[in-house]
Amino acid sequence: GPAPALADAVIKGAAAGLGFATATFGINYLFAGRPLSLLLIDGAYNIVLLAAMGALHRISTGDEAAFAL
């Protein structure tokens, strides 16, 4: 089917960062006794990273409609 709009790709990437990466880090950080502030830093990094990856993947399709928000 057609590729999603850029905003959809960014939202889905951010959701993956929050739902998968940050949740996994959270479990590991709780077990290791690491501070919440470290989880927030690492979680935010992964959310931004995966959102950017979603945007780049969408833009790389070469479709001009990718820039429609």
Side-chain angles (χ1 to χ4, degrees):
L6 180 60
D8 286 340
V10 171
I11 290 169
K12 289 176 183 176
L18 179 63
F20 296 119
T22 303
T24 302
F25 277 118
I27 293 168
N28 292 330
Y29 284 20
L30 283 173
F31 180 76
R34 293 184 177 157
L36 178 63
S37 59
L38 184 59
L39 173 62
L40 294 176
I41 292 168
D42 289 342
Y45 171 80
N46 280 289
I47 291 169
V48 171
L49 173 73
L50 290 172
M53 288 175 67
L56 290 174
H57 176 69
R58 177 59 188 105
I59 291 170
S60 70
T61 61
D63 185 7
E64 300 303 324
F67 298 100
L69 296 175

